[in-house]
Amino acid sequence: MNIISKIIIPLFVVFIIYCGLKKKIDVYDSFLKGAKEGLITCFNIFPAMLAMIFAINIFLNSGIINFLLGGFESIFNTLNIPFSVLPMAILRPISGNASLAILNDILRTLGPDSYAGRLASILQGCTDTTVYVIALYFSSVRISKTKQALPVGLFADLMGILAAFVLTKIFFG
Amino acid sequence: MVSIIWAVLIFLGVFYYLFTGNIEALNNEVLTNSKKALELMLELMPVIVLWTGLMKIAEDSGLLFKFAKFLSPFLRKLFPEVKKDSLALGYIASNIAANMLGLGSAATPFGLKAMDELQKENPNKKEASTPMITFLVLNTAGVTIIPTTILAMRVMYNSANPEEIILPAILATAISSISGLTLDYFIRRKKK
């Protein structure tokens, strides 16, 4: 599986260029045209990226999340679930790196085959960074009215997170 | 809605810094943390530029269109409003495929291009269109079949069975995507 996932991208690159040549396209010119569009996209998404990273970092580094969730610690202890999966579940839609850091911590201290390790792995896999993706994608095309995108995205995350807790219980008891 | 979350994150963070008396750290945080955005952009930009370049070749050669056509029975159901010959479907399909394989960094450029193509068909350029919202709900649910990063970490910490989490993770993702799409569908129906 590891080899397949490593070889798939290089082969894909060769395949794209080969198809271009076969259709007698000026592949180099096409590449430059597309790359330039990509550069403009980067330019368009940078303000949103900076805004989000600024807010997320202040929030995370202030340590408030542990303060807010402190009350839940005893509940988690009685359920025999390590408390650290709760901040991870809450951070998952906001920051992929933050939840990945917690996952790393859980795997290192409790082991990947512990109940918490499995639960945290599934939590990381069950959803993506909704808040960040929505801010980024809409800003790239300069849309300010995002309508129901964010609430629906967060609802999907919530269902995914709940499913992760339930499925871990079912699969690994 | 994005505004509210953005403001709440900043307010809560700043108040808690003040509450704990960590003013030095707060000042430092406000003055320097935006540098991290540039670091991230420096990491992301070459990937985006490379893949939008390569995908332009795929677009010009008709490969992308063929791929979209191949997946269109499935995509047409999810995105009935998108024009049949739209390149958006090709980019959406590429984005979903890259996400499924756990190639997150390659998925982002495809996603951004998909938004670009959807915006061309959008009658109101300031407002999110229906297919955009459907696409983002699908995208943020993160449909992953091979979660490469998580597997790598589990291998690194010597898991006896690193792949055992794949099936429950796929199921959890599926539940997340389906509930998102269902809610989106009902919100749209109610508005009509």
Side-chain angles (χ1 to χ4, degrees), chain A residues 102-165:
Chain A
I102 300 178
L103 171 64
N104 185 51
D105 210 49
I106 292 174
L107 293 184
R108 187 170 48 82
T109 52
L110 300 166
D113 298 328
S114 65
Y115 188 77
R118 286 164 172 161
L119 174 58
S121 305
I122 296 168
L123 272 177
Q124 183 73 22
C126 80
T127 178
D128 209 330
T129 44
T130 302
V131 175
Y132 178 72
V133 168
I134 285 183
L136 211 67
Y137 278 31
F138 278 126
S139 77
S140 76
V141 288
R142 294 158 194 269
I143 280 177
S144 48
K145 286 200 181 115
T146 60
K147 300 211 277 194
Q148 74 267 31
L150 191 56
V152 172
L154 289 176
F155 169 75
D157 289 346
L158 178 68
M159 298 310 280
I161 288 165
L162 291 177
F165 276 90

Side-chain angles (χ1 to χ4, degrees), chain A residues 56-70:
Chain A
I56 289 165
N57 274 314
I58 288 184
F59 179 75
L60 289 181
N61 296 339
S62 73
I64 192 172
I65 194 122
N66 289 322
F67 170 75
L68 287 178
L69 302 176

Side-chain angles (χ1 to χ4, degrees), chain A residues 41-126:
Chain A
T41 303
C42 289
F43 187 75
N44 284 339
I45 60 173
F46 186 66
M49 199 175 194
L50 188 139
M52 273 301 158
I53 285 176
F54 178 70
I56 289 165
N57 274 314
I58 288 184
F59 179 75
L60 289 181
N61 296 339
S62 73
I64 192 172
I65 194 122
N66 289 322
F67 170 75
L68 287 178
L69 302 176
F72 293 95
E73 194 159 0
S74 55
I75 303 174
F76 270 69
N77 284 340
T78 50
L79 288 173
N80 233 345
I81 303 171
F83 174 64
S84 46
V85 295
L86 183 61
M88 182 179 166
I90 289 177
L91 289 175
R92 185 69 191 89
I94 305 172
S95 165
N97 284 331
S99 59
L100 202 62
I102 300 178
L103 171 64
N104 185 51
D105 210 49
I106 292 174
L107 293 184
R108 187 170 48 82
T109 52
L110 300 166
D113 298 328
S114 65
Y115 188 77
R118 286 164 172 161
L119 174 58
S121 305
I122 296 168
L123 272 177
Q124 183 73 22
C126 80

Side-chain angles (χ1 to χ4, degrees), chain B:
Chain B
M1 182 82 182
V2 176
S3 294
I4 296 169
I5 290 198
W6 190 65
V8 166
L9 286 175
I10 294 176
F11 287 173
L12 284 177
V14 169
F15 286 142
Y16 194 67
Y17 265 118
L18 294 176
F19 177 68
T20 50
N22 229 335
I23 294 165
E24 192 73 34
L26 170 64
N27 190 40
N28 214 23
E29 186 71 44
V30 170
L31 290 176
T32 60
N33 98 10
S34 50
K35 260 191 223 158
K36 286 178 194 142
L38 187 61
E39 282 163 24
L40 182 63
M41 182 45 96
L42 284 177
E43 228 172 88
L44 202 60
M45 193 175 74
V47 181
I48 292 181
V49 172
L50 174 72
W51 283 96
T52 47
L54 286 170
M55 287 308 278
K56 194 76 183 176
I57 301 176
E59 193 183 312
D60 290 347
S61 68
L63 183 65
L64 192 64
F65 184 65
K66 262 188 219 154
F67 185 48
K69 225 172 161 185
F70 175 69
L71 281 171
S72 74
F74 162 71
L75 289 174
R76 306 259 348 133
K77 284 217 168 64
L78 281 172
F79 303 96
E81 298 89 349
V82 179
K83 284 182 194 133
K84 219 175 179 159
D85 54 349
S86 171
L87 280 172
L89 291 178
Y91 281 113
I92 290 172
S94 312
N95 173 270
I96 295 172
N99 264 329
M100 279 182 171
L101 298 172
L103 312 170
S105 51
T108 308
F110 302 159
L112 292 168
K113 278 298 287 183
M115 289 300 281
D116 211 27
E117 294 295 329
L118 290 175
Q119 178 72 330
K120 285 180 190 162
E121 296 178 20
N122 187 1
N124 183 350
K125 303 283 180 215
K126 284 258 156 249
E127 215 172 80
S129 66
T130 307
M132 281 178 182
I133 294 174
T134 309
F135 172 55
L136 279 183
V137 169
L138 206 60
N139 194 291
T140 57
V143 200
T144 311
I145 289 175
I146 308 171
T148 39
T149 319
I150 303 168
L151 283 180
M153 277 169 92
R154 291 176 62 81
V155 170
M156 190 171 87
Y157 290 113
N158 305 317
S159 170
N161 192 359
E163 301 91 2
E164 67 184 2
I165 56 99
I166 293 182
L167 184 61
I170 291 175
L171 290 176
T173 310
I175 290 170
S176 168
S177 315
I178 291 166
S179 26
L181 291 173
T182 313
L183 180 65
D184 180 47
Y185 176 77
F186 281 116
I187 288 176
R188 265 186 285 143
R189 276 231 332 215
K190 221 180 142 191
K191 275 185 181 160
K192 267 178 194 167

